[in-house]
Amino acid sequence: MFRTVRAGRPLTLGAAGLLLSLGAVAVAPAAMAEPGAPTTPSAGPSQTCCDTTLSVDGPAAVGLAGQPVEFTEKITNTSATETQKLFLNLVADAGAGLPKNGLAMYYRTDAGAWEQVAMEYSGGSFQGALPITITLGPGENRVLHLRLGLPMGEPHNGDSNGGARTVQLTSSVGAADGSWVLQARDVRTIPVQGLSAALTGVLATVVRGVPVEFRATVTNPTPSEYVNLNSVLFTDKDATVQVRRDGAWVTLPPVAADDPGRVGHYLGKRDHTLPVGSTNSVPVRVTWKDGAPLGKSVLTQSVIVNEGSVPFRGTYVGAMSVQVTVTGGQSASPSPTRTTDPTPTSTPSASASASATPTATPTTAPATPTPTTGTELASTGGDGGTLALSVGGAALVFAGGSLAAYVRLRRRA
């Protein structure tokens, strides 16, 4: 959304107003918005005294643990006679669920380099100011290039303790003449998105010793590019997982998970990149070994960013699970063939376990076979389904095809 704010009479931010110290500006605590409070972007009525306008273009959304998203803020001096000296203050509220390392902002210098904005953190609120004075002659304007990101930790050290649904960004232009009077302001709510994971073509009933083929897909619908990304398929320890590479089936080594009896398999190249709008789909074949327990079994695809040296420890940004029934009989029909991988519309009832990150303990939904040319597909919860996760004794319920930014996992010490 492109929004223009024109401020006239001086607007004050709390009793203490705006403070300027050593080139940094901080909004007084009384002026801070309630962290995480969803709002509609607005800036009040147009005024005529201060000859300053602020126009903000974007961002429309940002991806959790993805790369920062660029946007612009345009400050204009509408006076025909007066020169103005101004500063830009930024406040980003994401709610108490976002940790101190969960958000970062950057600005582009005159030399073209990107510098991080120094921001103070308090209960999910980040605030700081550009370390520059913006001088505008009569009728002049300046376009500032900014970036907003939710890194959720550091490269190869992703933080799984937190998340946010939205970020409320408040941009304030103040006078740098010693009065620190607010000249213009823009407030907008930015959605936080995650990746979409899908397991398509999984049979509802499988036979021990008979391979089952399907596809594991990860899609990036966010405006953020993703780096250091891993897609993991969690299975029972009695299952063998293969992926098709260069025309041949390659067996993947199992990696022990925190949940007894479960193992993880890395479906692709470690620490790969997923550009904006791209999809990565992998043909997968799973075989339950002879002697594997009969009954219900769950396949879970988890998408992890910035995984470190400890397997499966990082930021979880997408998940999909399906439940199958393992039998000792004969397979009635082969695995169905899909030419497309639809984005899932619901999150199924299971979640992966990690060796160093406690995983959500899901509720299990009964399988609902979907007829497809005589073949029953495994249940994924159905349209409009939800996934209930028990984390630290509190149940968190999220709808949709991926956990996106809403999963809050507490890191084990």
Side-chain angles (χ1 to χ4, degrees), residues 285-300:
R285 185 164 71 178
V286 177
T287 306
W288 279 262
K289 304 172 185 177
D290 291 338
L294 303 181
K296 302 300 182 182
S297 182
V298 175
L299 300 173
T300 300

Side-chain angles (χ1 to χ4, degrees), residues 252-405:
L252 302 178
V255 181
D258 190 51
D259 186 6
R262 299 284 285 179
V263 291
H265 311 263
Y266 291 94
L267 296 179
K269 181 182 178 182
R270 298 287 297 273
D271 297 326
H272 64 273
T273 298
L274 193 63
V276 176
S278 64
T279 295
N280 184 19
S281 186
V282 180
V284 182
R285 185 164 71 178
V286 177
T287 306
W288 279 262
K289 304 172 185 177
D290 291 338
L294 303 181
K296 302 300 182 182
S297 182
V298 175
L299 300 173
T300 300
Q301 181 187 17
S302 291
V303 187
I304 311 170
V305 181
N306 283 325
E307 184 178 353
S309 58
V310 179
F312 318 135
R313 179 172 178 170
T315 305
Y316 285 73
V317 293
M320 172 58 94
S321 297
V322 294
Q323 180 176 272
V324 302
T325 300
V326 181
T327 70
Q330 295 299 315
S331 178
S333 57
S335 300
T337 300
R338 295 288 183 91
T339 57
T340 59
D341 293 312
T343 300
T345 57
S346 63
T347 303
S349 54
S351 181
S353 297
S355 62
T357 303
T359 14
T361 303
T363 58
T364 45
T368 305
T370 303
T372 305
T373 63
T375 299
E376 292 183 347
L377 299 182
S379 169
T380 59
D383 291 344
T386 60
L387 172 61
L389 298 109
S390 177
V391 182
L396 306 176
V397 181
F398 308 109
S402 71
L403 303 189

Side-chain angles (χ1 to χ4, degrees), residues 113-279:
W114 287 98
E115 298 286 346
Q116 187 167 349
V117 180
M119 306 189 81
E120 295 185 359
Y121 171 84
S122 176
S125 178
F126 302 77
Q127 56 179 316
L130 300 194
I132 56 175
T133 298
I134 302 163
T135 302
L136 298 177
E140 291 184 345
N141 67 71
R142 179 166 178 178
V143 176
L144 300 171
H145 292 261
L146 305 173
R147 283 178 177 174
L148 171 66
L150 272 67
M152 291 299 296
E154 300 173 349
H156 303 291
N157 188 24
D159 194 342
S160 60
N161 182 22
R165 295 177 183 269
T166 60
V167 175
Q168 180 179 283
L169 178 63
T170 302
S171 303
S172 304
V173 178
D177 59 0
S179 66
W180 321 131
V181 172
L182 177 65
Q183 303 288 308
R185 181 178 62 187
D186 179 275
V187 182
R188 62 190 52 238
T189 298
I190 303 166
V192 178
Q193 301 176 341
L195 301 182
S196 176
L199 298 175
T200 55
V202 182
L203 293 178
T205 302
V206 300
V207 179
R208 286 188 304 194
V210 179
V212 177
E213 297 180 20
F214 55 93
R215 299 190 76 87
T217 303
V218 179
T219 302
N220 181 8
T222 81
S224 296
E225 182 182 42
Y226 277 81
V227 299
N228 297 330
L229 189 68
N230 291 321
S231 179
V232 180
L233 182 68
F234 290 92
T235 69
D236 297 330
K237 66 178 181 180
D238 297 304
T240 298
V241 177
Q242 298 174 302
V243 294
R244 194 163 185 81
R245 295 174 184 166
D246 300 325
W249 289 104
V250 178
T251 301
L252 302 178
V255 181
D258 190 51
D259 186 6
R262 299 284 285 179
V263 291
H265 311 263
Y266 291 94
L267 296 179
K269 181 182 178 182
R270 298 287 297 273
D271 297 326
H272 64 273
T273 298
L274 193 63
V276 176
S278 64
T279 295

Side-chain angles (χ1 to χ4, degrees), residues 51-53 74-80 82-84 86 134-143:
D51 298 320
T52 302
T53 63
K74 181 180 179 181
I75 303 173
T76 302
N77 177 12
T78 59
S79 172
E82 300 293 329
T83 295
Q84 296 194 57
L86 308 164
I134 302 163
T135 302
L136 298 177
E140 291 184 345
N141 67 71
R142 179 166 178 178
V143 176

